[in-house]
């Protein structure tokens, strides 16, 4: 079965409160500041039919209204 | 600032109920079955000092007891 990795991110312009929390926490923990922190989801799976992945993202894994996704299929 | 991507996954052997839910949902939605579905987190950020990323993962972003993480820094 082909192995696939799906990266799901909040769309540009969509608020990302988890990312904001990380940005604020870093200096408090003594780290250098970071910018543009975005928290998304990572889905890894073995699929019988990699051609279905786009539909799987649209219908199940991502919320296309507020999230972008990127599909990577191992050769 | 260097751009970094961090992939956080449940360790092998750690239960992943979200992954199990996706596995069970796929055939019910009419898709081919999938195996080894694992759901993790994706963190993308611009950091002042990429050398701090390992410590940031250990202390803030991941739970090293139950999660593995992979750091990718753009050249």
């Amino acid at each position: 079965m082909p192995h696939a990795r799906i990266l799901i991110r909040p769309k540009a312009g969509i608020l990302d409160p988890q990312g904001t929390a990380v940005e604020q926490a870093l200096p408090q923990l003594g780290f250098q500041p970071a910018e543009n922190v975005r928290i998304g989801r990572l889905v890894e799976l073995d699929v019988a039919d990699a051609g279905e992945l786009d539909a799987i993202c649209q219908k199940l894994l991502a919320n296309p209204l507020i999230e972008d996704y990127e599909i990577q299929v191992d050769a």
Side-chain angles (χ1 to χ4, degrees), chain A:
Chain A
M1 278 188 167
H3 183 75
R5 172 185 294 177
I6 298 160
L7 309 178
I8 302 169
R9 316 177 167 86
K11 275 184 195 281
I14 296 284
L15 280 181
D16 178 5
Q18 288 185 93
T20 306
V22 168
E23 254 179 65
Q24 293 175 352
L26 287 174
Q28 293 172 17
L29 292 171
F31 294 110
Q32 298 292 314
E35 291 178 359
N36 303 317
V37 183
R38 306 289 278 173
I39 314 267
R41 292 195 305 288
L42 167 72
V43 182
E44 293 183 316
L45 71 175
D46 300 328
V47 279
D49 178 2
E52 287 184 340
L53 282 169
D54 192 72
I56 290 172
C57 287
Q58 291 276 341
K59 288 196 187 168
L60 181 64
L61 298 180
N63 178 345
L65 286 176
I66 57 169
E67 293 171 327
D68 287 322
Y69 55 88
E70 177 184 343
I71 298 170
Q72 301 173 341
V73 181
D74 287 358

